[in-house]
Amino acid sequence: MEGSDEGVERVVDSKDLQQQSKAFDKLTDRVEDRQLDSSRVQEAMASIAASSEADWQAMRKREKELAAVKINAADVDIIANELELDKKVAERTLREHKGDAVAAIRHLLR
Amino acid sequence: MGASLPPKEANLFKLIVKSYETKQYKKGLKAADAILKKFPDHGETLSMKGLTLNCMDRKSEAYELVRQGLKNDLKSHVCWHVYGLLYRSDREYREAIKCYRNALRIDPDNIEILRDLSLLQAQMRDLSGFVETRQQLLTLKPNHRMNWIGFSVAHHLNSNSFKAVEILEAYEGTLDEDHPPENERCEHGEMLLYKISLLEECGFLERALEELHKKESKIVDKLVYKEQEVSLLVKLGHLDEGEALYRALLSMNPDNYRYYEGLQKCVGLYLEDGQYSPDQIDRLDSLYKTLVQQYKWSSAVKRIPLDFLQGGQFREAADSYIRPLLTKGVPSLFSDLSSLYNHPGKADILEQLILELEHSIRMSGHYPGRTDKEPPSTLMWTLFLLAQHYDRRGQYEIALSKIDEAIEHTPTVIDLYSVKSRILKHAGDLVAAAAFADEARCMDLADRYVNSECVKRMLQADQVALAEKTAVLFTKDGDQHNNLHDMQCMWYELASGESYFRQGDLGRALKKFLAVEKHYADITEDQFDFHSYCLRKMTLRTYVEMLKFQDQLHSHAYFHKAAAGAIRCYIKLHDSPPKSTAEEDDNMSKLLPSQKKKMRQKQRKAEARAKKEAEEKNEESSASGVSKSGKRHVKPVDPDPNGEKLLQVEDPLSEATKYLKLLQKNSPDSLETHLLSFELYTRKQKILLALQAVKQLLRLDAEHPDSHRCLIKFFHKVGSMNAPVTDSEKLIWSVLEAERPTISQLHEKSLFEANNSFLEKHKDSLMHRAAFAEILHILDSNRKSEAVKFVEDSTNNIVPRNGALGPIREWNLTDCIAVHKLLETVLADQDAGLRWKVRCAEYFPYSTYFEGCHSSASPNSAFSQLRKNSENESLNHSVDGQNVGSITSNGKLEAFKDLTI
């Protein structure tokens, strides 16, 4: 159900514009996908190894470290308000600077 | 998907879906109505009907039906999917993604939903999500080519080019040896070029080159093949092969400057800064002399040496370059040479050279050292070139005398009037500039270029209504300039927005600036359809390039201008709010009863007229009818044509902040971005953000007068704040104490001392002196007269130079206007402002701002001369017995007002 996304159009009052509209309409025409040879595809799939496991583990460890940092909730509010940031961004920056509000703010002012 | 329906209705439901996919919306609607006749509460059918109506521009009905459908069938992935598609069409991407995720929770392996989700993730640049989704699609349908390509591109965008290569190689492993078939050669060739560019990006240069050679027979685009090959050869240090290949490329296109640059690199004669040693210059000169023999018809090979040659060699080469172009009458010659004016010493050499040519042609009719007679036009083109030369050097009087002589020589050449217009603009007479641009326009009414140039000059002279009337001569809808908005004509919207701003019409100015912002939003959305189209067509290199361009879209200069303009409007709106309705009512109550009655009658008439106009517009709109596909081609009526509603914004500063954030993200290297940031955040009392702006200004240019102003103003304001009380204030104070020592301008100095120190370094610069004076006044308002005197004591020195003809002074018109405004507003000294004005009228005799003796504000001006000429023509018309209307300041426009293009 991949459909077109078309808004209000101008009044078509010339052949040029009609051709333009037709060409743009073609962009979103329904077209069947090209098929590949099935037997070779299975071999190819096997060669795609999952190398993202290690990356995911490293990221998870990092998140765990950050979650352990103690922070002052009032500092999060002050930083978010004064620097007009999302609270999540303010909180994360504060955690990355081990709860030191001054250091976090100076980093954000960079 | 409609599983609960009986077979007949289930088939009708499939027809709805197919009709939607193939854009046959009327047919789909009919099928939906047939189902709903028997099953009026069927959720999925209601949803699909809504989606179909959405594509027929019946949006409110669409939302109603889709929501009803979803409410009736919350467990249907079809209903959630449709709701997401509806949000997507309104660019509510985050909501759409939520709906898709809900749909996938119900049907986790639905191909269509995953595909739609991946499109949104690409649009929103959720790249890790995009990789994940594309991987799912590949796992589910590994025999679809597009899924391999999509997965590879996803990894590339997610900064994993090597993985992308691996996937493409696995994909190639699925193909026959004799792949591709004839109808897929271009697509496959593009994929191969993409893979090779990925290898290059990974740094696997040898492997990329090997792959390129191996696949040569399968790559259709031979030009890109060669360019890619030479790029790899140079990076690998195979300079001899690279040189040979660049020479081959030059034989294909000897006007591509990049090939010359590449060739120079291969022979070891290229420096980024262009600072060549005498020996290098000699070798370069020899190289280009041999190239000239090979490519006699190329301009590039003759022009490039002018960049690196110096002194006598430069003069000789420039002479031989210029002569044939003057003889031929090339109007763009000065544009071609203009970059040389940034090289030290070359402008003087060019001046002497051209003057010598002029003198010789004038005296003898031929070039120095030649006996061939030059055609009469050569003198005119020489004068044309000289006029532009003196314009560039700021000697407007001489420039105007040269262009006037050229016009007298041949009054029918349009370019002469265009250049005269530009000279007058630089000299400060915008009204006369507009008049001469109009004169040029009237000489060729079929040329949109001169029409646009004229419109631009009129807008610069704040003649907005006239500019609009002139622009309309080339718009499709005849009497409307909506066409310019529809065609995204940003230069027009920016110029008219700036004009309205200068005239204090903030509503219309905002309207124009926000229109430009809307165009950029539209351009951002335009990429959406290409996420699936380009994967299908395999134009992957161009697709990735487009995505990167889109990521940088708001860095474009036009967006910067529009956002800066909008922010200035909002700041002005904040500083001087428009009168509220209550205040107007108060004014009304002071009137006598009879005056009240008159006022009310006037209002009633105005309202009636506005209503009538709106009704007429609606009638015109509905008359356009309905097209075959079922869409109503209705132009929405502009609910706020003059931007009055924009003025009613509750919080102008928060509106301004939206655009400021875009500037901060996309134009961080522009001083203007951070100046606006400082002005905005000081008004919002966001001390830390104002500090950030100051830090950015110092990073970019610590010695700029505006950086200095903001620095001292900031710490002056901070110094006058009360001792911190709240936790918030204490934290801010701590940050300030930590940051101040890092600012070298303030080391162990008071603000007065910092200001004095700044002046010591820049005491000869007018703008730096003005900044010093302003800050002195801010720090101690009792020293205003001292500050004023200091500005007035500034000296306009003559710039030292080798040339002999006429002085060039240091000050420029823009700076002097800025100083005048400073004297009249910040320093509030009207007498000093008047004295400054009189003084600058001497330096800038053509400036209308300073009412110089040659400006349009004076009877001696070129503009007045033009008016006299028009009067003469009028007399001629009278002699012929024709009826002549009133004389206008715009030349022949009146005579052609009934002309249709």
Side-chain angles (χ1 to χ4, degrees), chain B residues 316-331:
Chain B
E316 187 182 339
D319 190 19
S320 63
Y321 185 73
I322 287 170
R323 289 188 183 197
L325 298 180
L326 287 178
T327 302
K328 205 183 299 187
V330 176

Side-chain angles (χ1 to χ4, degrees), chain B residues 327 357-368 370-379:
Chain B
T327 302
L357 294 176
E358 180 209 14
H359 178 79
S360 178
I361 292 165
R362 204 190 286 278
M363 292 300 116
S364 64
H366 50 72
Y367 287 133
R370 300 279 289 274
T371 54
D372 301 345
K373 197 83 174 178
E374 287 294 315
S377 59
T378 302
L379 176 60

Side-chain angles (χ1 to χ4, degrees), chain B residues 574-586:
Chain B
H574 169 264
D575 292 349
S576 313
K579 283 185 179 178
S580 65
T581 313
E583 286 176 28
E584 285 174 21
D585 286 348
D586 284 350

Side-chain angles (χ1 to χ4, degrees), chain A residues 59-100:
Chain A
M59 194 170 59
R60 196 154 161 275
K61 185 185 174 194
R62 175 68 177 150
E63 293 299 324
K64 215 181 243 179
E65 284 171 4
L66 290 181
V69 175
K70 286 194 176 73
I71 57 171
N72 183 344
D75 284 345
V76 175
D77 288 340
I78 294 171
I79 293 171
N81 179 56
E82 288 297 324
L83 298 184
E84 298 189 347
L85 297 170
D86 193 69
K87 279 189 180 177
K88 285 179 182 175
V89 175
E91 181 176 334
R92 183 180 182 89
T93 307
L94 201 52
R95 289 184 185 282
E96 284 172 356
H97 290 81
K98 307 208 187 319
D100 182 345

Side-chain angles (χ1 to χ4, degrees), chain A residues 4 25 28 36 40 49 106, chain B residues 23 25 143 163 176 739:
Chain A
S4 65
D25 211 39
T28 51
L36 302 174
R40 291 207 184 92
R106 295 187 70 193
Chain B
K23 304 173 190 170
Y25 302 122
N143 60 334
K163 186 74 174 182
D176 294 333
E739 285 287 335

